[in-house]
Amino acid sequence: MVENVHELRPKAGDSEKITINLGYVALGHIDLMVLEGFYSNRTDFIRTAIRNQLERHADVVKQSTARNSLDLGLRHYSREDLEAARAAGEMLHIQVLGLASIALDVTPELARAAIASVVVLGALHATPTVKAALADRMR
């Protein structure tokens, strides 16, 4: 029977929750637009507004991403990646616009030995101990 169970909505691993504070009048305007059917809910309005602003500034963001040598999207660093860098006597400079993740089996000692700097515009997923070990290398 268990093999017939399918997850209808898989957990979204590609998003991060944020909280914003809005004035009551702005919030009322959003609710009015939802009430009038322009948007399905407040979140729909906010996501649409963000997408519009990102689209509006896409050229500047693209130029800045290239100028700052940022990896765009998802970048995962495995224990093997870090061990290879350490064995080669190299230090990684993690620069990501999006999501950078460091494998769960990476120890704080290995992270410090293999990672020289961390710049993440978006989100960094790593164990709390690895994040603490790299705290002085994060910008």
Side-chain angles (χ1 to χ4, degrees):
M1 197 56 122
V2 173
E3 57 272 1
N4 291 334
V5 175
H6 298 284
E7 192 173 353
L8 296 178
R9 262 178 79 187
K11 263 192 169 175
D14 61 347
S15 65
E16 188 87 9
K17 184 176 182 175
I18 63 169
T19 302
I20 61 170
N21 295 319
L22 290 175
Y24 298 117
V25 174
L27 192 55
H29 280 104
I30 294 169
D31 286 344
L32 180 61
M33 294 178 81
V34 169
L35 184 66
E36 293 295 323
F38 290 99
Y39 301 95
S40 59
N41 54 42
R42 291 175 176 175
T43 301
D44 182 32
F45 172 86
I46 292 166
R47 283 187 182 140
T48 301
I50 291 169
R51 276 194 306 272
N52 289 341
Q53 287 300 307
L54 292 173
E55 188 176 303
R56 182 178 183 186
H57 300 288
D59 290 339
V60 173
V61 170
K62 189 175 184 179
Q63 292 169 7
S64 183
T65 300
R67 184 175 60 251
N68 292 301
S69 301
L70 297 168
D71 289 337
L72 182 63
L74 305 174
R75 181 67 167 95
H76 179 73
Y77 297 89
S78 68
R79 188 185 82 241
E80 292 78 18
D81 295 333
L82 300 185
E83 287 173 344
R86 181 177 62 183
E90 298 174 356
M91 296 283 284
L92 299 176
H93 295 275
I94 296 174
Q95 298 185 154
V96 175
L97 189 154
L99 172 65
S101 66
I102 299 174
L104 297 175
D105 61 351
V106 170
T107 64
E109 297 76 25
L110 176 58
R112 284 198 62 80
I115 300 172
S117 65
V118 179
V119 176
V120 177
L121 304 173
L124 171 64
H125 288 183
T127 63
T129 56
V130 167
K131 284 183 178 182
L134 297 173
D136 64 328
R137 300 174 185 194
M138 291 187 198
R139 285 184 260 143

